[in-house]
Amino acid sequence: MFLSLLLFLVAIGIILGGAAVFTNAVEWLGRRLGISDGAIGSVLAGIATALPETLIPVIAIFEGTTQAETDIGIGAILGAPLMLGTLVLPLLAGFLLLLGWMRKRAGHFELDYPAVRHDLGFFLAAYGLALLVSVNPLAPVRYVAAI
């Protein structure tokens, strides 16, 4: 039992250390490439973070031999952003309300509305396209949309 707990704590330390190194590496790569901080956070970090979990459904769709494997890949692609959106947005709102109640943040919340509108518009368009393609029975249409 003690050894299992110790290994668990060591594993958590390794994961947190790896996350810190990864975050720092992405930030410095973006700065060396001359990318703005907003683009580093929304594009470069997003791609690097989502790449491993994105490859699994893509492989399931393109290499899957049965309809069940393809359905699993499509479900993973459509389900991940929906799950994150339904979890993250209420958490952010709750933390903002909590910090406001505790008087730990300024009374005025500054938000870059054009950037948020742009990001949400792109997400809704891409998600809508993915949703439409997922119900399309023609494989060539799915391949073109995937590219």
Side-chain angles (χ1 to χ4, degrees), residues 77-130:
I77 290 172
L78 293 176
L82 189 61
M83 181 207 56
L84 288 174
T86 56
L87 289 176
V88 170
L89 292 177
L91 280 174
L92 286 175
F95 280 122
L96 283 174
L97 290 173
L98 178 68
L99 291 174
W101 178 72
M102 295 172 54
R103 308 241 189 253
K104 297 279 185 182
R105 69 174 184 92
H108 180 69
F109 181 71
E110 295 200 22
L111 184 63
D112 187 1
Y113 287 101
V116 172
R117 189 176 297 116
H118 177 267
D119 290 348
L120 286 176
F122 180 80
F123 168 76
L124 289 174
Y127 193 78
L129 176 66

